Amino acid sequence: MDITTAITRQDCESLDQADPLHAFAAEFEPGEKGTLYFDANSVGAMPRAARANLDRLLSEWRRMRRRGWSESDWLDAPRRLGAKLAPILGASADEVIVCDTTSVNLFKALAAALALNPGRNRIVSEAATFPSDLYVAQELVRAFPGTAIDLVDEGGAIDPAVDDRTAVVYLSQVDYRNATRHDISTITRRAHERGAMTVWDLSHGAGAVPGDLDASGADFAVGCGYKYLCGGPGAPAWMFVARRHQDKVRPLLAGWMGHNDPFVFARDYTPGAGMKRFLVGTPAVLANAAMEAACDIWARVAPAAVFAKHASLGDLIVRLVDQGAAGPGVSLASSRESDRRGGFVALRHPHAPQVVAALGAANVIASYRPPDSIRFGLSALYHRHVEVWDAIERLAQILARETWRDPRFAAGKKI
Amino acid sequence: MDITTAITRQDCESLDQADPLHAFAAEFEPGEKGTLYFDANSVGAMPRAARANLDRLLSEWRRMRRRGWSESDWLDAPRRLGAKLAPILGASADEVIVCDTTSVNLFKALAAALALNPGRNRIVSEAATFPSDLYVAQELVRAFPGTAIDLVDEGGAIDPAVDDRTAVVYLSQVDYRNATRHDISTITRRAHERGAMTVWDLSHGAGAVPGDLDASGADFAVGCGYKYLCGGPGAPAWMFVARRHQDKVRPLLAGWMGHNDPFVFARDYTPGAGMKRFLVGTPAVLANAAMEAACDIWARVAPAAVFAKHASLGDLIVRLVDQGAAGPGVSLASSRESDRRGGFVALRHPHAPQVVAALGAANVIASYRPPDSIRFGLSALYHRHVEVWDAIERLAQILARETWRDPRFAAGKKI
């Protein structure tokens, strides 16, 4: 598009016509007619195949019962789903499993990283990292006496905080409030130069922006299954461990599915080879069925096309804010540069909670994070540029008319 | 029934006609016609309401997306499902949550129990405890330096192993191979007399035999959701913490759902009150929908009626073995006394894997555990006495004709 003149809705239509991922939108269930969902940062859309997958599983539950463990594909799902997700994460098929929740996987990854670096006792993280990640670390360190967490203040550089006492650099790839994205490659390289491991939480990046886990040299990573990855509300999470570390780690959180041969029922834990040892309990068979519908889409999509379209959708919001099309009083909270942004674009407004509530009433689903962030979660798989245009137009109307001052929006929305 | 003469199929019909739980069978999906499923110890039958619950959730995923977190009941499920399960466990509504897997919940419970007893450094368990439970403990103890596990050999008494160094008595209520059931009350009382905590795994008892968690004084307990409780393959597990301990424990495995107020996004972890602090990551919304169909049944059933009928089904197998109706070469591996048995009855046969495979080919689903156990998992909610009769009759035919010697049964079945 021509960046010297204002972008029009017709320009957006042209972008959509040229979109190589256009056909993927049809693989997702539409939501309510007329509603624009920009909440891929919270709950991604439902793949149409999720229902058929769940129907198959319900049928197996009904007919097979315990035989499903041996005669269906239930037990293999963590490995199989992980292999299908690996390309969009920039990982190899044998480096990713789907299991448990993001927080539980963070616990496993951080415990493993600390164990691999026993002579050191500092974890470097950020004050603005997603709070659950901090909670995991704050309580886990009790299992590693003498270990403490150094929090880099907001806006501070990570690099100077990493020294020869640092065991692990433990970061969210993307700031959950403003989408600011770290460069995994650079931070990982510098951490390695100083002898530190890295543990990355890609929840607000995976399925939207590059993770490049193998190319960046990342040691451990985890992420959410239900945001951009579209695995369904509360979907199982994923976990990545670089191949070079897998067989060196004895998991602190161990269970039978991580045993080398669980059905021998040996008394002693012998960790399985590779990623298997990072499994703990019985897989969530029904939840995996829904998640697999999403993984089957990710296995067919070209990651570069996803990242290019995602950047284009985000850049469109930036352009619209620049040309005043987003309405008065709103500014960009995220970076102008797509390679510095994660899965959403955040705008800033002093009455963000009320504006998000008013957007909801106008059938635009965005989300609020304190203190003043309005987040538009973008999916390269199902969003069209014209939907972004229409959402921003509705925002402009709300701001111009000050609709958000309506008392029914005073409570805001928390999630 | 008259115990002086052989029991007949007609006697079984009489028992079924008098069964006060008779109507509950209609709340479950039938399996394949002609197949007798005695695998409630592995995957319980599917409540008919599971499909409608999942349909509702798929519709919410499709229509509501992120609004489901605030406008539906997704986030409340761990507490709500736990409250519905509590009566069948003999617990109070505010002592049970549904979340994670059995192994992850064991980790949380054992870590909490050890933390509550810091002056002691021994865990007393059994060599024959379910292996995953041992794996959890074997690896977790690294977080509690100096702590070791004392394993009581098979058949040995727990009591003499508990002394003033014992922090926790850590046991399966029911032996997964032969259904031998511990008396939670007695062991817990003696543990408490010696200053030790108790952590119980009720996976092979909950929904079948009494747990009596409150009456027995149990400190911590966990269990599987997908066996007798009928929550669906890989269903979320449950966790019990006695009310007196809940607010004293700082969880080692912590996450945002356990925070006192997760949506304030505070930097520091402040554990929530009561059971909330034992939550970690985002709830498994779809899996909880299926599990809730089961919990809604448990909330309506009289626990005493469940336990009485379950005992009657198990006693019937004992009687049939006694009168030679189970065929040649088979003997009882479980106790003759129903109050010493868990959720299944195990028979012993030197070629158990082949016999279980031959039973499967004859449309009787049982399961094998090394070395020689044939397990019949019994559900008080959906099994009829005549089904037990018919299954044992088919077993007798297989043993009398030595059908199990057929080479196609040589591989056996592992799960």
mmCIF file of all heavy atoms in Angstrom, chain A residues 17 33 97 100 141 153 173 217 226 231 256 318 326 332 347 397 401 410:
data_model
loop_
_atom_site.group_PDB
_atom_site.id
_atom_site.type_symbol
_atom_site.label_atom_id
_atom_site.label_comp_id
_atom_site.label_asym_id
_atom_site.label_seq_id
_atom_site.Cartn_x
_atom_site.Cartn_y
_atom_site.Cartn_z
ATOM 1 N N GLN A 17 -7.467 -9.650 -0.540
ATOM 2 C CA GLN A 17 -7.528 -10.421 -1.782
ATOM 3 C C GLN A 17 -6.177 -11.047 -2.118
ATOM 4 O O GLN A 17 -6.108 -12.123 -2.709
ATOM 5 C CB GLN A 17 -8.001 -9.531 -2.933
ATOM 6 C CG GLN A 17 -9.530 -9.406 -2.947
ATOM 7 C CD GLN A 17 -10.011 -8.171 -3.687
ATOM 8 O OE1 GLN A 17 -9.272 -7.583 -4.474
ATOM 9 N NE2 GLN A 17 -11.255 -7.772 -3.429
ATOM 10 N N LYS A 33 -22.629 -13.435 14.529
ATOM 11 C CA LYS A 33 -22.681 -12.587 13.333
ATOM 12 C C LYS A 33 -22.552 -11.114 13.730
ATOM 13 O O LYS A 33 -23.232 -10.644 14.636
ATOM 14 C CB LYS A 33 -24.023 -12.816 12.618
ATOM 15 C CG LYS A 33 -23.973 -12.491 11.132
ATOM 16 C CD LYS A 33 -25.235 -12.989 10.435
ATOM 17 C CE LYS A 33 -25.420 -12.343 9.069
ATOM 18 N NZ LYS A 33 -24.297 -12.653 8.164
ATOM 19 N N ILE A 97 6.569 -31.205 23.320
ATOM 20 C CA ILE A 97 5.441 -32.036 23.751
ATOM 21 C C ILE A 97 4.288 -31.119 24.162
ATOM 22 O O ILE A 97 4.498 -29.952 24.499
ATOM 23 C CB ILE A 97 5.794 -32.968 24.941
ATOM 24 C CG1 ILE A 97 6.473 -32.179 26.052
ATOM 25 C CG2 ILE A 97 6.634 -34.146 24.481
ATOM 26 C CD1 ILE A 97 6.717 -32.978 27.331
ATOM 27 N N ASP A 100 -0.038 -30.742 30.287
ATOM 28 C CA ASP A 100 -0.147 -29.914 31.491
ATOM 29 C C ASP A 100 -0.539 -28.466 31.156
ATOM 30 O O ASP A 100 -1.162 -28.218 30.133
ATOM 31 C CB ASP A 100 1.165 -29.996 32.302
ATOM 32 C CG ASP A 100 1.425 -31.417 32.819
ATOM 33 O OD1 ASP A 100 0.498 -32.020 33.372
ATOM 34 O OD2 ASP A 100 2.552 -31.920 32.644
ATOM 35 N N VAL A 141 12.075 -21.583 43.961
ATOM 36 C CA VAL A 141 13.456 -21.381 44.445
ATOM 37 C C VAL A 141 13.673 -21.986 45.832
ATOM 38 O O VAL A 141 14.810 -22.280 46.205
ATOM 39 C CB VAL A 141 13.884 -19.888 44.461
ATOM 40 C CG1 VAL A 141 14.042 -19.368 43.043
ATOM 41 C CG2 VAL A 141 12.949 -19.036 45.285
ATOM 42 N N ASP A 153 14.059 -3.942 36.213
ATOM 43 C CA ASP A 153 12.922 -3.022 36.213
ATOM 44 C C ASP A 153 12.405 -2.793 34.809
ATOM 45 O O ASP A 153 13.130 -2.964 33.821
ATOM 46 C CB ASP A 153 13.324 -1.676 36.822
ATOM 47 C CG ASP A 153 13.384 -1.759 38.340
ATOM 48 O OD1 ASP A 153 12.734 -2.668 38.906
ATOM 49 O OD2 ASP A 153 14.097 -0.942 38.936
ATOM 50 N N GLN A 173 8.677 -13.917 26.233
ATOM 51 C CA GLN A 173 9.091 -13.351 24.941
ATOM 52 C C GLN A 173 8.413 -12.003 24.710
ATOM 53 O O GLN A 173 9.015 -11.078 24.172
ATOM 54 C CB GLN A 173 8.708 -14.319 23.809
ATOM 55 C CG GLN A 173 9.050 -13.813 22.411
ATOM 56 C CD GLN A 173 8.410 -14.643 21.302
ATOM 57 O OE1 GLN A 173 7.377 -15.289 21.521
ATOM 58 N NE2 GLN A 173 9.014 -14.627 20.126
ATOM 59 N N GLY A 217 19.004 -20.837 19.539
ATOM 60 C CA GLY A 217 19.761 -21.542 20.563
ATOM 61 C C GLY A 217 19.066 -21.621 21.901
ATOM 62 O O GLY A 217 19.694 -21.982 22.910
ATOM 63 N N TYR A 226 -4.083 -22.126 24.186
ATOM 64 C CA TYR A 226 -5.445 -21.635 23.907
ATOM 65 C C TYR A 226 -5.513 -20.235 23.335
ATOM 66 O O TYR A 226 -6.600 -19.774 23.034
ATOM 67 C CB TYR A 226 -6.335 -21.749 25.152
ATOM 68 C CG TYR A 226 -5.855 -21.079 26.421
ATOM 69 C CD1 TYR A 226 -6.100 -19.725 26.652
ATOM 70 C CD2 TYR A 226 -5.204 -21.803 27.413
ATOM 71 C CE1 TYR A 226 -5.694 -19.128 27.826
ATOM 72 C CE2 TYR A 226 -4.800 -21.211 28.598
ATOM 73 C CZ TYR A 226 -5.046 -19.873 28.795
ATOM 74 O OH TYR A 226 -4.650 -19.277 29.960
ATOM 75 N N GLY A 231 -6.191 -23.853 20.561
ATOM 76 C CA GLY A 231 -6.440 -25.202 21.062
ATOM 77 C C GLY A 231 -7.683 -25.353 21.919
ATOM 78 O O GLY A 231 -7.993 -26.463 22.348
ATOM 79 N N TRP A 256 4.508 -41.243 35.943
ATOM 80 C CA TRP A 256 4.631 -42.487 35.174
ATOM 81 C C TRP A 256 4.739 -42.276 33.676
ATOM 82 O O TRP A 256 5.421 -43.047 32.990
ATOM 83 C CB TRP A 256 3.536 -43.480 35.544
ATOM 84 C CG TRP A 256 2.125 -43.190 35.140
ATOM 85 C CD1 TRP A 256 1.504 -41.984 35.094
ATOM 86 C CD2 TRP A 256 1.150 -44.172 34.768
ATOM 87 N NE1 TRP A 256 0.196 -42.139 34.719
ATOM 88 C CE2 TRP A 256 -0.048 -43.474 34.513
ATOM 89 C CE3 TRP A 256 1.152 -45.555 34.626
ATOM 90 C CZ2 TRP A 256 -1.227 -44.126 34.108
ATOM 91 C CZ3 TRP A 256 -0.004 -46.199 34.232
ATOM 92 C CH2 TRP A 256 -1.176 -45.481 33.980
ATOM 93 N N VAL A 318 -1.213 0.267 13.415
ATOM 94 C CA VAL A 318 -0.275 1.378 13.601
ATOM 95 C C VAL A 318 -0.592 2.506 12.616
ATOM 96 O O VAL A 318 -0.684 3.677 12.993
ATOM 97 C CB VAL A 318 1.187 0.887 13.415
ATOM 98 C CG1 VAL A 318 2.159 2.064 13.454
ATOM 99 C CG2 VAL A 318 1.539 -0.150 14.485
ATOM 100 N N ALA A 326 -8.151 6.096 14.661
ATOM 101 C CA ALA A 326 -8.562 5.351 15.849
ATOM 102 C C ALA A 326 -9.304 6.234 16.845
ATOM 103 O O ALA A 326 -9.785 5.753 17.863
ATOM 104 C CB ALA A 326 -7.354 4.702 16.520
ATOM 105 N N LEU A 332 -0.427 4.685 20.617
ATOM 106 C CA LEU A 332 0.113 3.337 20.456
ATOM 107 C C LEU A 332 0.926 2.961 21.695
ATOM 108 O O LEU A 332 1.825 3.695 22.100
ATOM 109 C CB LEU A 332 1.004 3.341 19.207
ATOM 110 C CG LEU A 332 1.424 2.001 18.631
ATOM 111 C CD1 LEU A 332 0.232 1.213 18.134
ATOM 112 C CD2 LEU A 332 2.441 2.230 17.505
ATOM 113 N N LEU A 347 -3.163 -0.456 22.412
ATOM 114 C CA LEU A 347 -3.334 0.998 22.376
ATOM 115 C C LEU A 347 -3.457 1.476 23.819
ATOM 116 O O LEU A 347 -3.789 0.694 24.721
ATOM 117 C CB LEU A 347 -4.582 1.364 21.580
ATOM 118 C CG LEU A 347 -4.623 0.807 20.150
ATOM 119 C CD1 LEU A 347 -5.859 1.317 19.416
ATOM 120 C CD2 LEU A 347 -3.355 1.185 19.390
ATOM 121 N N GLN A 397 -15.462 5.767 16.780
ATOM 122 C CA GLN A 397 -16.799 6.280 17.089
ATOM 123 C C GLN A 397 -17.016 6.354 18.601
ATOM 124 O O GLN A 397 -17.577 7.329 19.118
ATOM 125 C CB GLN A 397 -17.864 5.385 16.451
ATOM 126 C CG GLN A 397 -17.918 5.525 14.921
ATOM 127 C CD GLN A 397 -18.716 4.402 14.260
ATOM 128 O OE1 GLN A 397 -19.168 3.467 14.933
ATOM 129 N NE2 GLN A 397 -18.879 4.498 12.933
ATOM 130 N N ARG A 401 -17.559 9.949 20.305
ATOM 131 C CA ARG A 401 -18.857 10.219 20.963
ATOM 132 C C ARG A 401 -18.761 10.077 22.482
ATOM 133 O O ARG A 401 -19.757 10.242 23.181
ATOM 134 C CB ARG A 401 -19.909 9.241 20.436
ATOM 135 C CG ARG A 401 -20.176 9.407 18.941
ATOM 136 C CD ARG A 401 -21.076 8.290 18.417
ATOM 137 N NE ARG A 401 -21.128 8.319 16.957
ATOM 138 C CZ ARG A 401 -21.582 7.327 16.206
ATOM 139 N NH1 ARG A 401 -22.035 6.212 16.777
ATOM 140 N NH2 ARG A 401 -21.599 7.434 14.884
ATOM 141 N N ALA A 410 -18.783 1.410 33.544
ATOM 142 C CA ALA A 410 -17.886 1.866 34.615
ATOM 143 C C ALA A 410 -17.101 0.718 35.239
ATOM 144 O O ALA A 410 -15.953 0.889 35.665
ATOM 145 C CB ALA A 410 -18.689 2.604 35.684
#
